[in-house]
Amino acid sequence: MNSKLKKYLILSGLGVSLLLILALIGFFVVDEIKGGAVGDGQNKYELIIDSGEPSSSVVRELAAAGMIKSSVYFNYLMKFTRAGNKIKQGVYDINDGMSSRKILDVIISGKVKLVNFTVPEGYNNRQIGDLLVSKKLAISREEFLKVTQSQALLTKYNIPAKTLEGYLFPETYSVPLNYPLERITEMMIKRFYKKLESIPEAKDIKPADLHFRVVLASIVEREAVRKEERPMMAGVFLTRIEKNINLESCATIQYLFDKPKKRLFESDLKIVSPYNTYINGGWPPGPISNPGLPALEASFKPMKSDKLFFLLKPDGSHYFSATFKEHLEAKKKFIDVLYQ
């Protein structure tokens, strides 16, 4: 190779390199001018992308919301990165401190906005349904209740009942908006069985025997205020069953109302229902709430005694009695005086 040709190739290489560098610099300059952040992140926007929504529609919405500098550049960016068909449906938290490239990364990654909801211990299925509606995770309570009556889920988890009442574990959950109700429900069922693993007595338990424990736990959950009283309360209910005495649980009466009453009256105790444990012997047809772990533990580890009655005192604790006479005296002392 002669020196002239060698020199020419070197200069050509340098020229190409220089052009590439200039092109790269130009790209970053244009990227910053046309694709940089619009603001400092103070303005936030909830971007909702529906299934099958075209990318052009997404770009128009971003531009209208003031989240991008140039819709032309954003479209070019999608075409250059071949990301147009990778955009995933969902709800995304966008702010004006994000560059076009950052926004594009978010909406193709599927890192959607999560909705947190907490199911309190003792909530029944109706209350959970209302909670999910308030979080915009369900259209209506009825829609959720229909899922909780799914025979497919009842069969899958060997639950010998007509609904999933009692098996939806009360805890805090995080799910994407528009997450299927069936999957939310199954998430709560799985959490129930996972928590159950911490109770040695529940190992290898038969579905029918477990269901009985869940019924007991659901009543204890709604009756108890203090955690330490739950084993004693479970023992009272078991002793009453053994002695063929009606449970007479106010919690089972409250289950009959759409919203719990502040105070039950004599007429409420006469409502005809299989859940009325004042007029029916034995256990109610099914759980009356979704119990937490302490109530479940109490149902497996009840504290047996001669106590047959208990009543709620003004301080939130319960007074336990062995005889009806003692129970009436406690009622006069702690309850009747409040209504004189």
Side-chain angles (χ1 to χ4, degrees):
M1 181 182 295
N2 58 48
S3 59
K4 286 186 177 181
L5 180 60
K6 187 176 182 181
K7 184 177 181 181
Y8 173 77
L9 291 175
I10 292 173
L11 290 172
S12 296
L14 290 172
V16 171
S17 298
L18 182 60
L19 287 174
L20 288 174
I21 292 172
L22 290 173
L24 193 61
I25 292 172
F27 170 78
F28 282 112
V29 170
V30 173
D31 184 59
E32 179 59 33
I33 295 173
K34 297 293 186 180
V38 176
D40 58 3
Q42 293 286 334
N43 296 319
K44 303 182 187 304
Y45 184 70
E46 187 176 77
L47 177 66
I48 301 175
I49 302 177
D50 295 322
S51 177
E53 184 174 359
S55 59
S56 57
S57 174
V58 175
V59 177
R60 282 197 300 272
E61 183 175 349
L62 287 169
M67 293 294 116
I68 57 176
K69 289 182 176 180
S70 169
S71 56
V72 173
Y73 180 77
F74 200 93
N75 279 314
Y76 164 77
L77 194 63
M78 285 194 300
K79 186 175 182 179
F80 180 76
T81 58
R82 298 180 181 178
N85 296 324
K86 298 177 183 178
I87 295 175
K88 296 178 176 64
Q89 74 173 93
V91 180
Y92 300 88
D93 280 330
I94 305 295
N95 65 72
D96 65 358
M98 300 166 68
S99 67
S100 290
R101 282 181 287 109
K102 177 61 177 177
I103 293 174
L104 186 58
D105 286 342
V106 169
I107 63 179
I108 66 174
S109 69
K111 295 179 180 178
V112 298
K113 175 183 178 181
L114 294 178
V115 178
N116 298 319
F117 68 94
T118 300
V119 179
E121 293 179 344
Y123 256 35
N124 60 42
N125 287 359
R126 294 176 306 222
Q127 291 171 305
I128 295 177
D130 291 341
L131 173 64
L132 294 178
V133 170
S134 71
K135 293 291 184 176
K136 298 181 180 179
L137 293 170
I139 296 173
S140 66
R141 176 202 285 187
E142 290 68 32
E143 181 191 29
F144 173 70
L145 292 180
K146 186 176 181 180
V147 174
T148 66
Q149 296 164 6
S150 165
Q151 190 57 54
L153 287 176
L154 290 167
T155 300
K156 182 177 180 179
Y157 292 96
N158 294 315
I159 297 172
K162 294 181 178 179
T163 79
L164 296 167
E165 189 84 79
Y167 295 85
L168 306 181
F169 196 77
E171 203 170 79
T172 297
Y173 299 89
S174 297
V175 297
L177 205 60
N178 299 323
Y179 203 60
L181 275 178
E182 290 80 4
R183 295 179 69 178
I184 293 176
T185 303
E186 195 161 10
M187 184 187 299
M188 290 189 277
I189 300 172
K190 288 180 178 178
R191 192 69 56 86
F192 169 86
Y193 283 105
K194 185 66 178 177
K195 292 292 184 178
L196 204 63
E197 292 176 3
S198 66
I199 305 176
E201 292 81 358
K203 186 178 181 181
D204 299 324
I205 191 170
K206 295 179 180 179
D209 294 332
L210 173 60
H211 193 62
F212 148 67
R213 296 293 176 181
V214 174
V215 171
L216 173 56
S218 75
I219 299 173
V220 170
E221 185 67 83
R222 294 295 292 187
E223 290 278 8
V225 177
R226 298 187 176 182
K227 178 180 176 180
E228 65 272 13
E229 293 182 345
R230 288 169 183 168
M232 175 71 83
M233 200 169 281
V236 168
F237 287 127
L238 286 170
T239 301
R240 291 181 75 94
I241 291 293
E242 290 168 3
K243 292 181 177 293
N244 203 28
I245 302 173
N246 288 4
L247 292 179
E248 296 186 347
S249 165
C250 292
T252 64
I253 302 295
Q254 293 281 18
Y255 185 66
L256 303 178
F257 302 110
D258 191 58
K259 293 182 180 179
K261 289 188 172 184
K262 290 184 178 180
R263 185 188 181 193
L264 292 176
F265 295 94
E266 200 68 32
S267 58
D268 297 323
L269 308 184
K270 297 177 182 178
I271 296 175
V272 178
S273 168
Y275 283 92
N276 186 339
T277 56
Y278 276 82
I279 62 177
N280 297 300
W283 302 102
I288 63 167
S289 74
N290 292 283
L293 188 59
L296 285 167
E297 289 175 332
S299 73
F300 279 95
K301 305 172 186 178
M303 186 183 297
K304 297 300 291 290
S305 69
D306 62 345
K307 307 301 183 184
L308 288 171
F309 306 90
F310 59 81
L311 61 82
L312 181 64
K313 297 191 295 184
D315 65 358
S317 65
H318 282 83
Y319 185 89
F320 293 84
S321 307
T323 66
F324 187 58
K325 180 181 179 182
E326 183 185 358
H327 179 66
L328 288 178
E329 290 174 351
K331 184 174 178 292
K332 289 179 182 178
K333 180 179 179 181
F334 297 110
I335 305 298
D336 294 346
V337 293
L338 299 176
Y339 300 98
Q340 289 178 352

